[in-house]
Amino acid sequence: MRTDSSPGTLPAREHLPAGNAGTPVLDVVIPVYNEEKDLGPCVLRLHEHLKRTFPYAYRITIADNASTDTTPQVARKLEAEIAEVKSFRLEQKGRGRALRTVWSASDAPILAYMDVDLSTDLNALLPLVAPLISGHSDLAIGSRLARSSRVVRGAKREFISRSYNLILRGSLQARFSDAQCGFKAIRRDVAQVLLPLIEDTGWFFDTEMLVLAERAGLRIHEVPVDWVDDPNSTVHIAKTATDDLKGVWRVGKALATGALPLDRLARPFGDDPRDRDVQDVPKGLARQLVGFCVVGGLSTLFYLVLYSLFREFSGSQIANALALLVSAVANTAANRRLTFGVRGRGGAVRHQAQGLVVFGIGLALTSGSLAALNAASSDPAHSTELAVLIAANLAATVLRFLLFRAWVFPDRDGSGTDRQESMVVATHTPSSPTYLTGAPVPHQQQGPYQPQGPLPQRPAHPPYAQNGTTTTQFRAGEAADGTWRDSTMQLQPVRPHDTEPGDPR
């Protein structure tokens, strides 16, 4: 994956203005399904905590996804009583669906969510969102598995949680410590581009979001939390675990095949304003060298195994040519994807053809070394042959990297155009309604994401900073004309396949 800037990258992070703007800085979403008993105490406790400790304007959004009890009535009652509370009603189930729908429609620059049971100590909320407000990080998560976290829960859930995170580390190379803690936040500019790439609408939504963000090079901040297990949780552990494993397989396959345009989420070099004018920044040379060395080491082992097998029924020259040919094809494919970050099938044939030219140079070096060895000794030992081939391959490896970087996978115009020629870039332009009036939000049905132009740079004055204007505040349900109406918004699904029934959660 590329680490340098390209035309489709996100703008540099900026510290949010400290002034009290009309739009809330933080939007805390509480996804609920049949939570008529816990919803009221949760919202009241959260509102009291934010009112007492949070220094910015905030909003609490109740995302009711297809509840069948009195949860919608409780949500509307809270909305009418507390000015900072809003409610959404979705007609389909799924926590991921609820979060994506509400986050996509929110106008707050910082988006967060927490579970309705409030298992996480609310004192961690400000440390969670502070790195996002300051511009230091892109996402933030609460971690129950950090060393300084204090967690009270049963052995069964502890084992399941740690096992799941080990699976993520082993299969998807995840480096974050806790994927399932219901306590997360994200910057809105990141969410606009990241959410369309997430397919899951249930409990795997969190994991998929974090894996894609991490693979794209976004900065994820972890906050140790104090967490007390809710013994009355309605989560179906067996089904959730099965769905999560299916999600791990799907995401792993997409990452392996390069089906996701993660370069769209890359940040420019240096988030400090002084770094944005730096010219000729190295395009990830150190990372490419590390990746090339790893791939080269594995390719050499693969080559030696093949050579030993082919040597059993052929001469040294034929065995060397066959082994080098097979390993060269595998080496080019691995370096194309892992070292130089080229995704998709476009240009793959040309890259393999150029790789075969590089293979021919390596073949000449290794074959010439074997010819020199045979000229010096009529019957060299097998171990001597291997030693000579290793030395020749080391010389060929250095030349291969230089040719790969300068000829096979070049960055021709310095902007990454050549390496991204086969990528499909997904863009997302969610609606940005004003929640202050309680008016319904027009929401267009969205089809498949088509390639668009570069992501626009952040304006000089963010949309939540209303300089020189006076914003009139209205209570929930009160319109600008002074009339009152039901301000619960009926949202349409964000993704076309969200209309499919059968989500059991």
Side-chain angles (χ1 to χ4, degrees):
M1 183 168 51
R2 292 170 56 90
T3 58
D4 55 291
S5 178
S6 63
T9 57
L10 288 165
R13 291 182 293 266
E14 296 179 2
H15 195 302
L16 301 182
N20 185 14
T23 301
V25 171
L26 173 65
D27 192 350
V28 182
V29 180
I30 304 176
V32 292
Y33 173 71
N34 289 348
E35 298 287 355
E36 57 184 2
K37 295 181 179 180
D38 294 335
L39 179 57
C42 164
V43 172
L44 293 175
R45 179 183 165 194
L46 175 60
H47 177 260
E48 174 61 27
H49 178 83
L50 289 171
K51 181 179 179 181
R52 179 170 49 88
T53 65
F54 196 69
Y56 292 88
Y58 59 88
R59 177 193 300 128
I60 301 173
T61 303
I62 303 170
D64 172 28
N65 47 311
S67 293
T68 57
D69 60 2
T70 62
T71 298
Q73 290 83 348
V74 175
R76 285 194 293 268
K77 184 175 183 295
L78 291 167
E79 184 179 31
E81 294 176 351
I82 305 175
E84 292 82 8
V85 174
K86 301 297 175 184
S87 67
F88 284 156
R89 167 72 179 181
L90 290 86
E91 299 302 330
Q92 292 177 295
K93 296 164 63 176
R95 183 180 69 169
R97 177 181 288 110
L99 290 175
R100 186 173 60 223
T101 303
V102 177
W103 280 356
S104 297
S106 179
D107 55 353
I110 305 298
L111 310 170
Y113 95 89
M114 61 182 62
D115 292 336
V116 70
D117 56 17
L118 294 186
S119 296
T120 305
D121 183 8
L122 291 178
N123 287 328
L125 181 56
L126 184 55
L128 182 80
V129 300
L132 308 187
I133 294 175
S134 70
H136 175 270
S137 301
D138 298 293
L139 297 90
I141 64 173
S143 176
R144 300 163 297 183
L145 303 181
R147 290 185 179 274
S148 56
S149 299
R150 296 187 297 176
V151 177
V152 178
R153 62 175 167 180
K156 180 180 179 181
R157 286 183 175 269
E158 181 77 9
F159 174 77
I160 292 175
S161 180
R162 292 189 178 274
S163 298
Y164 179 65
N165 282 280
L166 285 176
I167 291 174
L168 294 180
R169 289 177 177 271
S171 59
L172 300 178
Q173 289 78 51
R175 290 174 292 177
F176 47 85
S177 64
D178 192 351
Q180 295 177 312
C181 181
F183 198 70
K184 296 181 175 68
I186 185 173
R187 288 179 64 101
R188 179 173 174 266
D189 58 344
V190 176
Q192 288 177 344
V193 186
L194 179 58
L195 293 181
L197 305 181
I198 304 174
E199 294 187 13
D200 191 79
T201 59
W203 295 92
F204 188 70
F205 175 90
D206 301 51
T207 301
E208 188 169 357
M209 176 179 69
L210 293 175
V211 169
L212 298 187
E214 187 176 75
R215 287 297 188 94
L218 298 181
R219 184 175 294 159
I220 301 176
H221 180 74
E222 294 198 18
V223 177
V225 297
D226 297 339
W227 195 86
V228 180
D229 186 22
D230 178 16
N232 299 319
S233 175
T234 59
V235 178
H236 301 288
I237 296 179
K239 177 167 181 52
T240 300
T242 301
D243 292 343
D244 286 348
L245 292 178
K246 292 179 180 178
V248 170
W249 170 259
R250 174 177 55 79
V251 172
K253 181 180 179 181
L255 293 173
T257 57
L260 295 170
L262 298 182
D263 284 25
R264 184 70 178 173
L265 295 165
R267 288 287 190 186
F269 174 80
D271 291 331
D272 189 295
R274 295 169 297 179
D275 297 330
R276 298 172 197 171
D277 296 329
V278 176
Q279 302 296 326
D280 300 324
V281 178
K283 304 291 196 281
L285 177 61
R287 190 202 59 77
Q288 288 180 356
L289 280 173
V290 173
F292 185 82
C293 289
V294 172
V295 172
L298 296 176
S299 298
T300 301
L301 294 177
F302 184 49
Y303 162 79
L304 293 176
V305 171
L306 291 176
Y307 177 81
S308 299
L309 292 176
F310 293 147
R311 191 67 175 84
E312 295 294 328
F313 56 84
S314 64
S316 60
Q317 293 288 3
I318 296 178
N320 173 64
L322 291 176
L324 195 57
L325 176 62
V326 175
S327 61
V329 172
N331 181 277
T332 300
N335 277 306
R336 180 179 187 270
R337 172 66 182 89
L338 302 176
T339 303
F340 297 97
V342 180
R343 303 180 178 89
R345 299 179 180 178
V349 175
R350 174 172 61 85
H351 293 153
Q352 283 292 351
Q354 292 173 314
L356 289 178
V357 174
V358 179
F359 150 76
I361 298 175
L363 178 62
L365 287 174
T366 53
S367 296
S369 300
L370 284 175
L373 177 63
N374 291 328
S377 175
S378 59
D379 187 20
H382 182 65
S383 58
T384 304
E385 285 184 347
L386 292 180
V388 170
L389 288 174
I390 290 174
N393 268 282
L394 288 176
T397 297
V398 175
L399 182 60
R400 185 184 303 120
F401 176 76
L402 297 177
L403 290 175
F404 273 178
R405 183 173 171 82
W407 180 48
V408 183
F409 307 111
D411 192 3
R412 291 178 179 172
D413 59 1
S415 63
T417 302
D418 184 73
R419 298 183 195 174
Q420 301 182 64
E421 61 186 359
S422 62
M423 289 174 52
V424 177
V425 179
T427 62
H428 184 49
T429 308
S431 57
S432 299
T434 300
Y435 294 143
L436 299 177
T437 64
V441 182
H443 188 84
Q444 298 179 353
Q445 184 67 24
Q446 300 180 14
Y449 297 100
Q450 300 295 332
Q452 302 288 338
L455 188 70
Q457 296 294 312
R458 183 191 298 273
H461 299 290
Y464 46 85
Q466 303 177 10
N467 295 334
T469 62
T470 301
T471 302
T472 303
Q473 298 279 352
F474 299 98
R475 293 186 59 194
E478 183 181 9
D481 57 4
T483 60
W484 289 78
R485 59 176 68 98
D486 183 4
S487 60
T488 301
M489 302 182 185
Q490 306 292 332
L491 295 187
Q492 297 296 325
V494 173
R495 301 177 69 92
H497 67 265
D498 280 356
T499 59
E500 299 177 0
D503 190 339
R505 291 170 289 180

